[in-house]
Amino acid sequence: MADMSPLFRRKPPAPGDRIVTLVRKSGCHLCDDAQAVVEKVCADLGVPWEQKDITEDARLYDQYWEQIPVVLIDGEQHTFWRVNEERLRKALTGGSV
C-alpha cells in the first residue's frame, strides 16, 4: 500500500468533521434511549449532533416513519430502533464495526 496513489489512500473524516442526526418524535421511549446514547458518544468524541422531529418534516416522515428512531451520520443512515454505543463510536472514529 505504500506505493498506492494518494488519491486512493483516503483517511476517514475526523470525528469533529462529522455530523450525527437523530430522527425522532416526541413521546417515543426508544427515541429517548437513542438520544441518551447519541449525546454520550458525541460528547465523548466532540462530534456535533442534531435532532429532527419526524412529525415536522414530510420527507423524513415518508422515508423513516416505520424505523424511528433513526441515526444518520453525515446524512447516511447508520442505524434505527436501537442505537449501539460501541457501533456508533466505531463508525465515528473510523474503527471497524
Side-chain angles (χ1 to χ4, degrees):
M1 286 196 137
D3 57 348
M4 186 180 289
S5 166
L7 287 174
F8 297 106
R9 282 188 268 143
R10 294 191 181 127
K11 292 182 181 179
D17 295 335
R18 314 299 300 266
I19 180 77
V20 174
T21 304
L22 174 62
V23 180
R24 59 164 300 150
K25 73 174 184 176
S26 175
C28 166
H29 74 280
L30 288 177
C31 299
D32 294 339
D33 294 346
Q35 182 171 335
V37 174
V38 168
E39 284 179 342
K40 180 182 188 308
V41 172
C42 288
D44 288 351
L45 299 176
V47 175
W49 74 278
E50 62 185 357
Q51 59 182 325
K52 295 189 177 182
D53 188 323
I54 199 167
T55 65
E56 297 176 1
D57 186 317
R59 185 187 61 78
L60 290 176
Y61 183 86
D62 290 344
Q63 190 168 1
Y64 298 119
W65 71 273
E66 292 182 315
Q67 297 179 333
I68 62 163
V70 176
V71 175
L72 310 174
I73 298 176
D74 300 331
E76 298 292 323
Q77 186 169 343
H78 168 70
T79 195
F80 62 97
W81 294 338
R82 302 231 182 247
V83 181
N84 178 284
E85 180 180 341
E86 182 179 340
R87 184 170 177 263
L88 179 59
R89 190 176 298 278
K90 285 181 180 178
L92 292 170
T93 59
S96 59
V97 177

